[in-house]
């Protein structure tokens, strides 16, 4: 199977897992349809460049996509308040072709503010 078929955002994977784990009548069944958070505190353990976004590996092991402009390896080991937003990114159907103009909308981290320690 081509590798581009496995390219999912961390949020898409989380939604799929929650959907698969939900039992009839569970409140968790409605979580994938809930709007994404606008902000949240994250602890970044690693920063990785991807095809359609930068990826923050969190201390929890979760992976969250971010805009390329935020992709700074110096963020590893830091805590930030992340702001999320809907962003048009290159479609997986492009298979990494830089000349492809197809896009999809994904929820990405669009801004970071350092968390000040007391």
């Amino acid at each position: 199977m081509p590798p581009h078929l496995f390219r999912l955002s961390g949020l898409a994977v989380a939604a799929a897992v929650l959907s698969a784990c939900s039992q009839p009548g569970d409140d968790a069944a409605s979580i994938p349809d809930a709007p994404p958070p606008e902000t949240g505190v994250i602890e970044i353990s690693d920063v990785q460049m991807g095809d359609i976004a930068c990826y923050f590996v969190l201390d929890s092991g979760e992976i969250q996509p971010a805009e390329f402009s935020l992709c700074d390896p110096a963020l590893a080991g830091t805590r930030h308040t992340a702001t999320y937003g809907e962003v048009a990114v290159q479609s997986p159907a492009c298979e990494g072709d830089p000349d492809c103009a197809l896009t999809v909308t994904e929820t990405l981290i669009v801004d970071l503010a350092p968390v000040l320690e007391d």
Side-chain angles (χ1 to χ4, degrees):
M1 188 169 274
H4 71 278
L5 295 178
F6 294 102
R7 201 178 306 150
L8 294 174
S9 74
L11 295 174
V13 171
V17 168
L18 285 172
S19 178
C21 294
S22 299
Q23 298 296 322
D26 274 356
D27 291 336
S30 64
I31 291 174
D33 295 328
E38 291 180 19
T39 63
V41 175
I42 60 172
E43 296 184 28
I44 303 168
S45 64
D46 193 19
V47 179
Q48 300 175 357
M49 185 64 80
D51 288 346
I52 62 170
C54 176
Y55 294 95
F56 295 147
V57 180
L58 306 184
D59 282 353
S60 65
E62 181 183 354
I63 298 173
Q64 293 195 358
E67 287 189 323
F68 284 118
S69 62
L70 300 176
C71 204
D72 181 357
L75 292 171
T78 62
R79 293 182 72 209
H80 286 80
T81 299
T83 301
Y84 299 83
E86 297 293 315
V87 178
V89 297
Q90 187 181 52
S91 171
C94 292
E95 298 182 6
D97 177 2
D99 296 325
C100 180
L102 298 175
T103 62
V104 295
T105 301
E106 294 283 339
T107 302
L108 304 180
I109 295 172
V110 295
D111 192 32
L112 292 173
V115 173
L116 303 175
E117 301 297 325
D118 293 331

